[in-house]
Structures are given as C-alpha cells and as structure tokens.
C-alpha cells in the first residue's frame, strides 16, 4: 500500500499530526494528495544531490500539476480546486533556479510522514503484543475449537437417536398392547405375532445398547476436553493473568474460555437429559437384561462427576483486586477503596441474577470487608454479556480483636499485600512482583519463608514489563546488560546468574544506602511522571554505565551528548554527559549533576536541555549540547517538545570546575519570586501478603431449555463448589509476605 494511503487510514491522533505537518504552504497537502503515486515513485534523495536530475523532476512536477488541473476542469470539480492547483504551480516557480531545494523539501516531508507511520505502527504493535498469543498456543486452541464443535455435533446427533429410539419403543409398545388386547386363539397367528414382537424387542434392545455405548463415547470425549479446559487452557489463562498483573502484555480475555466452558456444560446437561429420557422409557418398557437398568446409573454418576468438576472450575476472578491510585493490582491499603470482578464461565441465561457472590477475608490477623460485599452474578455488568459480579467500592478495616476460624470458599484472588501507609507501596509492589514472577501456585502459603532465587532471564523480562506497562516502551538488550552488570559485575553470559529476594529488595546496592528495587522503581516513577514522552521516543538512553558512556562519547564530534539515569540517587535521578575537546584534541567527557524528580517538577527536562548553559571564567555563556547521541541535532530531537513561552523564564546552570560532577544550582527567575531545588526521601516497611477468596451462591429460580431441577441439583449441592478449607498459618512467614484469603458461605438469592 502507498505511504499516503497508509497515512489516510491512521487513527485521528496520527491524522492530526499529518494535518499539523501540512499546515503551511511549503509543500501543500493538496499536491501531496492528488500526486501521491507519482511523488512516492521518484528518487528525491538523488534529486537533492544532483541539479540536473532535480530539474527533470521539477519539470515533471509542473507537468503533473497541469494534467491534474485539466482533470479537474473535465470532471467539473469546484472552481476552488482549479484555482488552488494553478496557485501551487505558480508558487513552485520560485525553485526554477534551485530545483534541488524543492527536492529536499519534498524529501523532508516524506521522511516526516514515515516517522508518523512508524510511531503509529509501533503503537499498534504494542497493542497487538498485549493480546497476541504464542503460535503453538493458538494452534492448540484451534484444535480445541474443532473438537468442541465435534462434541456439539455428536450431541445433536444423539438427540436424533433418542427420538428414533422413542419412536421405535412406541411402535413395539403399541403392537405389544394390541396383541394383548386381541387375545387371538389362532396359535399360528399368535406365534407369528410373538415372533414379530420378539424381533422388535431385539431391535429395541440393540438400539438401547447402541445409544448407551454412544453416550459412553460422548462422555469419554467430554472428559478429555474437560481435562484440556481445566488443566491446560484455564491454567494457562491463570498464568497469563498472573503475569499481566505485573506488567506482561499477555492476553487475559475470558470470552473464548467462556464459550468453551458453556459449550461443554450444555453438552453434559444434554447428555444428562438423554439419560433421564432413557429412565423414562425404561419405566414404560423394560425386560430381562435391560441394558438401561444396568448401565444408566453408572453413566449418570459419571455425567454428574464431570459437571461437578466443570462448575467448580468455572468460577474465576476476572479482574484482580486493585486500588485506583495504586502502583499496580494486588496491593491494598486499609480504609482505601478497591475493586475486584468475578466471572462464572458457564453462560446460561437461566442463571442471570440466580447466583450471588459474597466477599470476605480470613487470616490470622482479621480484616472486615466494608461496602457492598454481596452481589448477584448478572449479565448487565459485562460488555460481552458474561455472568459477572463487579465489586467496585470495597474497603478493608482491621479488626482489633476476634478470631477467624475456617471458611468454605470456591475461588480466590492472587495473594494481595495489605498495607496501612502509602510509604509501604514500593516494598509491597516488590513483593507482588517477586511472588508472581516465580510462583505459579497462588495458594503457596510459605513462599516467602524460603523464597526461590530468580534467574536473570526471569528478572530482566519482569523489569522490562515495568517500563512497557507504564510507558509503552520496554527495555532493550543494551539497557538490560547495564542492569545485569550492576547486579552481577562483568560476566561473559548473564543467563546463568541468579538474584535472591534479599538482593532484590533487602540488601543495599554496594556504596549506596538503598536497595536495587528502590533505585529501579525510583527511576520508573520519575520517567512516568516527568519523562514519558522523551523515554518513549528513544531520546533517553537511560541505563548506561559511566564507563560505557565515555566509550560512546569519546568517538563523537564536539557537543554530542547522551542522557542517562543516575546510579547514585535513591528516588530517581537523570543526567546528561557531553564530549568536548581540549586544544590538543583530547576528548573531555563532562557530566552535569543529576536532576531529581523535584527539579523536573519545576522545569521540564526538555527545557533544561534547551536552555542549559555553562559559565567559565572569562568565557561567554554557551550551551554545549549540540547533538543527541549518535548524531541527531538537538533541535530535531527536542524541538517538538519546546514551549514557545519558555523565554519568559531563564534557566541557567553555573559551572563549578572543582567538583567531580559539574555542580549545578537550579534557578528559575520569574517576575515575583525565586526558588531552588530540594530532595525528598521515603521510608517503607515490610508489607503483609494477603489473598481474596470469592464464591458463588446458587439461587432457587431457573427457567429455560435446561431443566431447572437438574441445574439446581448441581448448584444447590455443596459438593459442587466446596474446594475445602484454606487457612493461614501464624508461624508460616518471617518475610515480607503473608497470604490469606477472602471467603464466603453459600446463600440463595432472594
């Protein structure tokens, strides 16, 4: 597809950028639009270098404008369009002597268009990455979809078989009753009738055996599919959800699982219906060695067992507990509202408002759940019409006294960390990250008692997710290598290296007074709050060591600079270094003192770059920052972020040559006041690890194609949803995390 056509199909956000690009007359959008195919087919880069070739393209451009004008006239287009084309041609006449200038202008516009397209495609790739699944997984799901359709078709075929069997039995029953009513004395006729009845009964017996065998085969297939659903697809979804909670771009949509669970349930209930029908037929006609009498109880028990397993697994937490302003899900603060959403994957209209979910918590240190903690599963709260209960305004309040005991429950959230102060969020989120990165068993109560180590491949993936989920740009290989060097020192291969929980969030980084996680998270918070655009467009190199920085800059021309994160500031710092050259030609790498979040809250970082100056004795103030590494002019890299009003303030940075860093004092001069930067420090404590448990409660009123009595038999049977008791062990944890669970007891809807 042509570049211009691709641009026209972009979202409004990017179409606005195209509109802003062509808001001047240097190269009119009308010309770009009507001559799009011809423009994109020319070598404008060559024309920008060669005068003769540029003249050829210039003349061709004018000819194409004449052709387009004639087309407008012939097609009766508006007078305004005809006028504009003539005016554009006249304006282009100014390049008659310097056609390569026009070629460079057109080339510049094409490159800007390409940049807009690349940004749009990158955003689309990120979005696709968030829902894209592994190809092997997709093949597996495609196969499951095929087999589920096959099961459904066989059940529909069995329905026809049941009707034929019923007709066959009615025929036998009618002829048998007729024979008894006639009471014939003709032995030969009586013998023929009995022979005919025996033949019909034999056929009926064969049909019953065949149907029972078919039901057994259906249950074999249903059991196999149920195992795939519960032990594979549901487990994979739960792991994807677990990873998504800590930033992974994994697909957590439940619609496909809901479709499969519902299809499986419909088929099993239909098979149960077939068996009930056989029981009804057996009540009308039975005989010695009747296969229904001997085989039906075992088949019905098997159907019930499969339905029990299916319905137990169908109740899930769709959206994990989270606070609106938290660092991420699974960190809850007492007396602060949080939300959680549950979903029942068997989507029967008969169940709408017929089951309810109750939320509570159970652990050695008790919390009350306040707010609307009981809601009916309903289809109104789901965009897709699923059976959900969405709790949006819950809070936790600690009980000072009282004991908990055990409670019965059916599904649980991932473990949550409960904090009482906002200063604990950073440490709490570290616990959530570590647990969900390494533990696939959400009810592992002793995880932090003996936490496993993380391999570097596991850790680097999780660290990159933090940036990807917060800023839409993850960490590249070189940035991750710098972080690995910080953790492990110089290694030929970091893949075999491991990090313990203590090294991640307990032990201070050498030569500092803070942990690795505090340093990393401080940078992430700073980028999200003040530097997101610069980070996303790649202007910030970020994670690069001082040694690597010098190696990169010393080979570059004077004024080349790069931007990196500070390794010595606890709550996030950013600095820039540039290369200068001594009179003898020796490279001199100079670095400014890092700027903190407090500094960036006062002055945008791109304005610091724009207005940075150094004063040295006897010299005129100058901005030494000329080219963003590797060789992008500063104006090109940062110009789109500059504020036109920045001239109202003066930003000046004074050089003190006696410090290792270029010591800076940040001064903002305005009409009525003057202030300078300061720093902040936060103290965090170890959080407590918790968990949510939620369970559905069946209600009495059902209607529809599925027998209400049959459905209620399962939903009212405690064995269907009883997963057993889970309780907290007071002595299980000495570390940061202590799991416990929200739970409920069954109650009917009223």
């Amino acid at each position: 597809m042509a570049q211009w056509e691709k641009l026209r199909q972009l979202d409004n956000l990017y179409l606005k950028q195209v509109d802003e690009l062509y808001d001047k007359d240097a190269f009119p959008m009308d010309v770009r639009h009507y001559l799009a195919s011809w423009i994109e087919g020319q070598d404008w880069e060559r024309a920008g270098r060669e005068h003769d070739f540029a003249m050829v393209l210039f003349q061709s451009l004018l000819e194409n404008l004449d052709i387009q004008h004639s087309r407008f006239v012939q097609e009766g287009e508006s007078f305004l369009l005809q006028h504009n084309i003539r005016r554009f041609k006249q304006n282009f006449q100014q390049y008659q002597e310097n056609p390569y200038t026009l070629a460079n202008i057109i080339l510049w516009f094409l490159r800007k268009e390409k940049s807009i397209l690349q940004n749009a495609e990158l955003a689309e790739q990120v979005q696709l990455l968030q829902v894209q699944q592994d190809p092997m997984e997709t093949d597996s799901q495609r196969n499951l979809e095929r087999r589920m359709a096959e099961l459904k078709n066989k059940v529909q075929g069995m329905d026809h078989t049941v009707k034929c069997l019923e007709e066959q039995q009615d025929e036998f029953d009618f002829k048998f009753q007729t024979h008894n009513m006639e009471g014939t004395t003709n032995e030969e006729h009586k013998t023929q009738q009995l022979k005919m009845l025996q033949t019909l009964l034999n056929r009926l017996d064969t049909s019953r055996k065949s149907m029972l065998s078919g039901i057994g085969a259906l249950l074999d297939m249903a059991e196999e599919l149920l195992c795939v659903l519960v032990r594979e697809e549901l487990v994979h979804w739960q792991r994807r959800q677990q990873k998504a909670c800590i930033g992974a771009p994994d697909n957590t949509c439940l619609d496909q699982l809901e479709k499969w669970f519902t299809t499986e349930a419909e088929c099993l209930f239909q098979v149960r219906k077939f068996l009930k029908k056989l029981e009804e037929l057996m009540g009308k006609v039975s005989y010695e060695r009747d296969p229904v009498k001997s085989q039906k109880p075992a088949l019905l028990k098997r159907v019930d067992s499969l339905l029990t397993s299916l319905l137990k697994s169908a109740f899930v937490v769709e959206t994990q507990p989270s606070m609106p302003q938290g660092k991420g899900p699974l960190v809850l603060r007492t007396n602060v509202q949080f939300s959680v959403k549950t979903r029942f994957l068997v989507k029967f209209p008969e169940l709408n408002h017929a089951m309810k979910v109750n939320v509570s918590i159970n652990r050695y240190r008790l919390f009350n759940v306040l707010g609307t903690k009981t809601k009916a599963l309903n289809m109104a709260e789901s965009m897709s019409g699923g059976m959900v209960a969405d709790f949006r305004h819950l809070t936790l309040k600690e009980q000072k006294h009282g004991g908990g005991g055990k409670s019965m429950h059916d599904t649980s959230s991932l473990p949550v960390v409960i904090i009482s102060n906002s200063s604990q969020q950073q440490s709490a989120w570290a616990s959530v990250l570590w647990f969900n990165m390494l533990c696939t068993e959400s009810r592992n109560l002793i995880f932090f008692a003996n936490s496993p180590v993380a391999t570097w491949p596991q850790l680097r993936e999780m660290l990159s997710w933090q940036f990807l989920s917060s800023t839409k740009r993850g960490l590249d290989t070189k940035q991750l290598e710098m972080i690995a060097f910080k953790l492990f020192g110089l290694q030929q291969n970091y893949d075999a290296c491991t990090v313990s929980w203590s090294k991640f969030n307990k032990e201070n980084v050498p030569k500092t007074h803070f942990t690795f996680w505090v340093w990393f998270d401080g940078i992430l918070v700073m980028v999200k709050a003040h530097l997101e655009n610069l980070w996303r467009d790649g202007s910030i190199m970020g994670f690069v060591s001082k040694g690597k920085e010098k190696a990169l800059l010393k080979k570059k021309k004077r004024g080349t600079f790069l931007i990196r994160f500070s390794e010595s500031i606890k709550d996030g710092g950013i600095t820039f270094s540039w290369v200068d050259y001594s009179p003898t030609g020796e490279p001199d790498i100079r670095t400014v003192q890092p700027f903190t979040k407090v500094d960036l809250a006062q002055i945008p970082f791109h304005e610091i770059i724009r207005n940075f100056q150094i004063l040295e004795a006897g010299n005129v103030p100058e901005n030494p920052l000329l080219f963003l590494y590797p060789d992008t002019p500063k104006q090109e890299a940062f110009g789109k972020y500059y504020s036109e009003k920045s001239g109202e303030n003066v930003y000046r940075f004074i050089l003190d040559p006696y410090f290792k860093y270029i010591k800076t004092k940040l001064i903002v001069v305005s009409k009525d006041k003057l202030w300078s930067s300061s720093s902040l420090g936060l103290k965090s404590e170890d959080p407590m690890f918790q968990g949510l448990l939620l369970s559905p409660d069946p209600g009495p009123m059902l209607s529809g194609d599925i027998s209400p009595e049959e459905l209620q038999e399962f939903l009212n049977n405690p064995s269907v949803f009883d997963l057993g008791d889970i309780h907290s062990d007071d002595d299980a944890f000495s570390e940061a995390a202590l799991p416990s669970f929200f739970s409920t007891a069954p109650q009917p809807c009223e």
Side-chain angles (χ1 to χ4, degrees):
M1 185 184 297
Q3 181 168 300
W4 185 250
E5 286 302 313
K6 289 181 180 179
L7 286 169
R8 293 178 62 193
Q9 296 179 18
L10 294 178
D11 293 339
N12 289 335
L13 173 66
Y14 299 100
L15 285 177
K16 183 179 178 181
Q17 295 179 22
V18 176
D19 187 61
E20 292 172 352
L21 176 64
Y22 284 98
D23 66 348
K24 301 266 179 15
D25 282 341
F27 189 55
M29 183 183 286
D30 286 13
V31 175
R32 178 68 179 95
H33 175 72
Y34 290 111
L35 303 185
S37 179
W38 178 83
I39 288 172
E40 293 177 29
Q42 311 310 312
D43 188 351
W44 297 105
E45 189 170 356
R46 178 186 171 191
R49 299 190 308 266
E50 301 177 14
H51 180 276
D52 292 342
F53 186 69
M55 181 58 73
V56 171
L57 292 187
F58 176 73
Q59 295 297 335
S60 182
L61 173 63
L62 299 183
E63 291 172 6
N64 275 280
L65 288 173
D66 286 336
I67 294 171
Q68 188 61 45
H69 178 267
S70 300
R71 187 176 295 122
F72 285 158
V73 173
Q74 293 172 4
E75 295 173 356
E77 292 290 349
S78 71
F79 174 76
L80 183 59
L81 282 175
Q82 299 175 37
H83 168 77
N84 285 341
I85 287 294
R86 287 197 304 268
R87 183 170 62 85
F88 298 149
K89 180 182 177 182
Q90 291 171 0
N91 290 342
F92 287 146
Q93 296 292 344
Q94 63 181 304
Y95 300 109
Q96 182 76 37
E97 300 299 325
N98 300 299
Y100 50 82
T101 302
L102 178 59
N104 281 317
I105 290 173
I106 295 175
L107 179 63
W108 183 85
F109 274 89
L110 292 175
R111 285 175 173 171
K112 286 294 183 182
E113 288 179 4
K114 189 174 182 180
S115 177
I116 293 172
L117 272 177
Q118 288 174 341
N119 290 337
E121 288 170 357
L122 178 61
E124 185 179 1
Q125 287 171 4
V126 170
Q127 186 175 4
L128 287 174
L129 187 60
Q130 292 174 341
V131 299
Q132 191 176 35
Q133 298 176 343
D134 183 85
M136 290 182 62
E137 191 174 4
T138 302
D139 291 341
S140 170
Q141 292 180 347
R142 196 176 293 117
N143 183 51
L144 180 57
E145 178 74 18
R146 179 186 58 79
R147 294 169 65 197
M148 199 66 74
E150 184 181 349
L151 174 66
K152 191 172 183 179
N153 289 335
K154 287 187 175 182
V155 169
Q156 291 172 349
M158 183 64 69
D159 185 59
H160 176 71
T161 302
V162 171
K163 292 177 181 177
C164 292
L165 179 64
E166 186 174 15
E167 292 174 358
Q168 190 177 2
Q169 178 168 312
D170 287 344
E171 180 188 3
F172 170 79
D173 189 41
F174 174 76
K175 291 184 177 180
F176 181 75
Q177 296 299 336
T178 301
H179 169 74
N180 288 339
M181 291 172 61
E182 286 180 351
T184 180
T185 57
N186 187 324
E187 289 299 324
E188 183 179 355
H189 179 64
K190 185 177 182 180
T191 301
Q192 289 178 348
Q193 284 188 329
L194 289 174
K195 187 176 181 181
M196 179 268 295
L197 288 172
Q198 186 63 51
T199 301
L200 291 176
L201 183 61
N202 290 341
R203 290 176 182 172
L204 179 63
D205 182 66
T206 300
S207 296
R208 284 187 174 185
K209 289 178 179 178
S210 176
M211 182 175 175
L212 290 166
S213 176
I215 289 177
L218 277 179
L219 293 181
D220 288 341
M221 188 175 185
E223 184 173 8
E224 186 179 346
L225 290 174
L226 180 61
C227 288
V228 174
L229 273 180
V230 174
R231 299 178 187 176
E232 296 181 21
E233 294 300 332
L234 183 60
V235 170
H236 292 163
W237 175 83
Q238 289 169 337
R239 181 55 182 161
R240 289 198 303 273
Q241 186 194 49
Q242 194 176 9
K243 290 161 61 182
C245 284
I246 57 174
D250 283 18
N251 175 26
T252 59
C253 179
L254 277 168
D255 291 350
Q256 186 62 68
L257 265 179
E258 180 185 71
K259 177 183 175 183
W260 289 331
F261 266 81
T262 302
T263 298
E264 177 92 0
E266 288 173 343
C267 290
L268 288 173
F269 272 112
Q270 193 65 25
V271 170
R272 201 171 192 273
K273 207 170 175 182
F274 296 155
L275 291 171
K276 291 291 186 181
K277 187 65 177 179
L278 280 176
E279 185 176 22
E280 177 189 325
L281 294 175
M282 183 182 69
K284 296 178 180 179
V285 175
S286 187
Y287 46 89
E288 188 177 350
R289 294 191 296 274
D290 186 345
V292 175
K293 186 182 297 184
S294 60
Q295 297 181 36
K296 177 256 175 186
L299 289 172
L300 186 60
K301 183 178 180 181
R302 190 178 176 194
V303 173
D304 291 353
S305 176
L306 293 176
L307 275 170
T308 299
S309 179
L310 179 73
L311 297 178
K312 274 184 178 181
S313 305
F315 189 58
V316 298
V317 179
E318 181 175 9
T319 303
Q320 294 293 330
S322 63
M323 300 185 298
Q325 303 301 323
K327 289 185 72 68
L330 306 174
V331 176
L332 306 181
R333 182 179 170 186
T334 53
N335 302 314
V336 175
Q337 284 191 350
F338 70 94
S339 62
V340 61
K341 183 163 73 172
T342 63
R343 187 160 173 173
F344 192 57
L345 296 178
V346 176
K347 184 179 175 181
F348 286 166
E350 295 85 357
L351 295 179
N352 195 26
H353 292 283
M355 300 170 61
K356 65 181 180 179
V357 179
N358 185 42
V359 183
S360 61
I361 188 170
N362 172 32
R363 64 181 293 273
Y364 82 101
R365 179 175 152 206
L366 295 180
F367 288 86
N368 286 326
V369 180
L370 306 181
T372 305
K373 58 184 180 180
T374 300
K375 296 190 73 173
L377 286 166
N378 66 91
M379 297 181 176
E381 292 186 294
S382 172
M383 295 292 290
S384 62
M387 298 287 298
V388 304
D390 194 356
F391 300 86
R392 300 180 184 178
H393 306 290
L394 301 176
T395 55
L396 295 177
K397 186 172 183 179
E398 186 174 0
Q399 292 182 9
K400 298 301 181 182
H401 303 286
K406 301 177 181 179
S407 64
M408 312 298 288
H409 35 260
D410 308 299
T411 191
S412 69
S413 73
L414 292 167
V416 300
V417 182
I418 298 178
I419 60 176
S420 58
N421 190 285
S422 59
S423 65
Q424 299 171 314
Q425 280 215 37
Q426 188 176 59
S427 182
W429 184 237
S431 299
V432 170
L433 293 175
W434 198 259
F435 179 88
N436 290 288
M437 174 178 59
L438 298 177
C439 185
T440 58
E441 175 49 62
S442 63
R443 295 178 180 180
N444 185 348
L445 299 180
I446 59 172
F447 176 81
F448 276 99
N450 186 24
S451 172
V453 298
T455 64
W456 170 240
Q458 290 174 316
L459 183 62
R460 74 187 178 202
E461 185 177 47
M462 183 271 284
L463 294 177
S464 184
W465 288 342
Q466 304 316 295
F467 272 86
L468 179 63
S469 60
S470 294
T471 69
K472 302 298 183 291
R473 179 195 168 198
L475 302 177
D476 61 31
T477 302
K478 292 182 179 179
Q479 291 165 338
L480 290 167
E481 283 180 358
M482 179 270 174
I483 297 174
F485 176 78
K486 186 177 183 69
L487 285 169
F488 311 114
L490 183 61
Q491 305 285 337
Q492 284 191 344
N493 189 334
Y494 292 102
D495 286 355
C497 296
T498 59
V499 179
S500 66
W501 165 243
S502 294
K503 188 171 184 178
F504 179 72
N505 192 44
K506 294 292 182 182
E507 302 168 2
N508 287 342
V509 176
K511 300 181 181 180
T512 71
H513 59 284
F514 49 82
T515 67
F516 169 82
W517 170 245
V518 168
W519 169 74
F520 184 88
D521 186 60
I523 290 172
L524 180 61
V525 171
M526 176 184 66
V527 170
K528 179 63 178 175
H530 305 291
L531 303 165
E532 184 171 357
N533 288 334
L534 294 177
W535 170 258
R536 194 182 297 175
D537 72 12
S539 297
I540 298 174
M541 188 173 292
F543 294 100
V544 55
S545 66
K546 296 177 183 178
K548 183 67 173 179
E549 171 190 73
K550 291 180 180 179
L552 294 174
L553 288 176
K554 70 180 182 180
K555 301 175 183 178
K556 293 296 178 179
K557 55 189 173 184
R558 179 181 179 274
T560 301
F561 67 99
L562 61 78
I563 304 169
R564 65 173 176 85
F565 301 130
S566 170
E567 297 183 60
S568 58
I569 294 183
K570 174 181 178 181
D571 295 317
I574 190 166
T575 185
F576 47 81
S577 301
W578 70 94
V579 61
D580 202 347
Y581 286 89
S582 67
T584 61
E586 292 296 319
D588 180 18
I589 310 301
R590 315 181 80 175
T591 301
V592 73
Q593 178 175 296
F595 300 93
T596 66
K597 289 182 289 187
V598 176
D599 301 327
L600 300 179
Q602 298 175 31
I603 303 177
F605 190 66
H606 57 265
E607 294 294 345
I608 294 176
I609 296 291
R610 179 185 187 182
N611 297 283
F612 178 79
Q613 292 183 343
I614 56 174
L615 287 174
E616 294 182 282
N619 292 336
V620 177
E622 65 170 340
N623 190 324
L625 310 179
L626 304 178
F627 304 96
L628 178 65
Y629 184 90
D631 54 9
T632 305
K634 182 177 68 174
Q635 177 67 28
E636 183 179 330
F638 299 96
K640 55 182 173 290
Y641 302 116
Y642 291 162
S643 169
E644 294 181 0
K645 298 181 180 180
S646 62
E648 295 179 3
N649 297 327
V650 178
Y651 313 120
R652 183 161 293 178
F653 305 88
I654 312 299
L655 175 65
D656 183 343
Y658 297 102
F659 287 83
K660 179 179 179 182
Y661 282 113
I662 296 176
K663 197 72 175 177
T664 65
K665 185 177 182 181
L666 176 60
I667 302 174
V668 180
V669 181
S670 63
K671 293 181 179 179
D672 48 18
K673 62 181 178 180
L674 171 72
W675 69 89
S676 61
S677 63
S678 61
S679 60
L680 296 174
L682 294 176
K683 181 188 293 184
S684 62
E685 302 173 10
D686 284 347
M688 307 276 276
F689 224 19
Q690 318 293 320
L692 283 173
L693 285 176
L694 309 100
S695 66
D697 304 328
M701 302 304 295
L702 299 170
S703 62
D705 294 333
I706 296 172
S707 167
E709 294 79 9
E710 292 176 343
L711 195 54
Q712 280 290 36
E713 182 179 339
F714 284 87
L715 299 180
N716 286 326
N717 183 353
S719 67
V720 172
F721 291 104
D722 176 11
L723 297 185
D725 299 326
I726 297 178
H727 63 280
S728 298
D729 184 346
D730 292 4
D731 302 321
F733 286 85
S734 58
E735 272 296 333
L738 182 60
S740 65
F741 304 91
F742 287 89
S743 61
T744 63
Q747 297 177 1
C749 274
E750 299 178 354

